């Protein structure tokens, strides 16, 4: 199965992708990891990407799609894959289709903006071990330090309310139109994701028929 998840930042895309990847035994292909691997391997498109990254510019869509095409040819993708971080725009989705990279299913995790703001502004992370908490939904025992390693919990800069609002605006403008694009192709599935993680997972499995 070849699929991707859509949804606002904080909707739970990474969490659900990990569960589905384990269930189906397929890899999650992260744009960031993919770019780093291509640069390290010094492939032709990897060297192109490196030039843009070193100059501080955005890597163009055609280079990203080229690297993705290379990555999807590897043996671990023969049974399918989950895309993470691409497509982010309709232009990228069209480029995937042109390259013959067609998705079987696109799952949109639906959460309203106010819930997203609450989720993300309440998130706290341990920079030492990576554990993640939430001030109301999943607090640490004392609400201040990590239960795993005892280090102090912090709020990431991109979880600050003003940053979250900005990220949501970008999502609605650039990424949300993908729902109409994939609905037109008949591959879009929508899942209400404002419930518990387990309930979302059950709904995702049902949408995918797995």
């Amino acid at each position: 199965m070849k699929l991707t998840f859509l949804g606002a930042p904080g909707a739970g895309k990474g969490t659900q992708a990990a569960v589905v990847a384990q269930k189906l035994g397929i890899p999650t292909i992260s744009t960031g990891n993919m770019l780093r691997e291509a640069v390290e391997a010094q492939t032709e498109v990897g060297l192109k990407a490196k030039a843009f990254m070193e100059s501080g510019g955005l890597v163009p869509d055609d280079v990203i799609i080229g690297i993705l095409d290379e990555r999807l040819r590897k043996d671990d993708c023969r049974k399918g894959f989950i895309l993470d971080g691409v497509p982010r725009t309709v232009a990228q989705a069209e480029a995937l289709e042109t390259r013959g990279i067609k998705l079987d299913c696109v799952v949109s995790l639906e959460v309203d903006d106010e819930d997203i703001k609450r989720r993300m502004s309440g998130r706290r992370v341990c920079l030492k071990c990576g554990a993640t908490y939430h001030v109301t939904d999943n607090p640490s025992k004392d609400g201040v330090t990590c239960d795993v390693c005892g280090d102090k919990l912090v709020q990431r800069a991109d979880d600050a309310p003003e940053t979250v609002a900005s990220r949501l605006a970008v999502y609605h403008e650039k990424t949300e139109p993908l729902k109409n694009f994939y609905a037109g192709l008949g591959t879009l599935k929508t899942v209400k994701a404002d419930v518990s993680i387990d309930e979302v997972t059950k709904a995702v499995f049902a949408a995918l028929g797995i």
Side-chain angles (χ1 to χ4, degrees):
M1 185 176 284
K2 304 168 185 176
L3 61 133
T4 192
F5 286 87
L6 298 178
K13 299 184 294 296
T15 299
Q16 296 304 324
V19 175
V20 173
Q22 184 174 25
K23 170 87 170 176
L24 296 178
I26 58 178
T28 297
I29 309 300
S30 158
T31 308
N33 292 343
M34 183 183 69
L35 282 168
R36 284 189 288 274
E37 288 173 7
V39 169
E40 287 173 11
Q42 297 191 329
T43 65
E44 184 180 344
V45 283
L47 292 173
K48 284 183 183 177
K50 183 180 181 182
F52 286 102
M53 292 161 76
E54 288 181 344
S55 68
L58 291 173
V59 181
D61 286 352
D62 63 325
V63 176
I64 289 177
I65 302 302
I67 290 173
L68 179 60
D69 199 19
E70 281 184 350
R71 176 66 182 86
L72 297 182
R73 294 178 190 276
K74 293 187 177 180
D75 286 347
D76 64 337
C77 293
R78 283 189 298 179
K79 286 169 45 181
F81 52 80
I82 301 173
L83 297 184
D84 174 15
V86 65
R88 288 193 185 277
T89 64
V90 171
Q92 286 184 351
E94 290 172 341
L96 289 178
E97 290 288 318
T98 300
R99 278 291 186 107
I101 303 170
K102 298 183 182 295
L103 299 174
D104 300 316
C105 192
V106 175
V107 180
S108 178
L109 300 178
E110 304 290 323
V111 185
D112 69 46
D113 284 6
E114 290 309 309
D115 196 13
I116 290 292
K117 291 173 184 175
R118 183 194 64 80
R119 286 187 187 189
M120 297 185 73
S121 64
R123 187 159 57 183
R124 298 292 183 270
V125 297
C126 174
L127 298 180
K128 186 175 180 180
C129 74
T132 302
Y133 302 88
H134 191 278
V135 293
T136 55
D137 297 349
N138 180 37
S140 67
K141 289 175 182 174
D142 64 7
V144 178
T145 58
C146 177
D147 293 343
V148 179
C149 70
D151 215 43
K152 187 177 180 180
L153 299 178
V154 300
Q155 182 182 55
R156 297 189 319 188
D158 59 357
D159 286 341
E162 61 275 13
T163 308
V164 172
S166 176
R167 292 174 68 192
L168 281 168
V170 171
Y171 166 74
H172 289 308
E173 179 188 354
K174 302 287 188 184
T175 305
E176 197 167 32
L178 283 167
K179 294 198 304 191
N180 285 335
F181 178 84
Y182 284 113
L185 294 178
T187 53
L188 182 74
K189 306 283 186 182
T190 58
V191 169
K192 265 180 64 68
D194 56 356
V195 290
S196 72
I197 291 173
D198 287 345
E199 288 176 289
V200 176
T201 298
K202 287 178 184 175
V204 168
F205 283 6
L208 296 175
I210 59 176

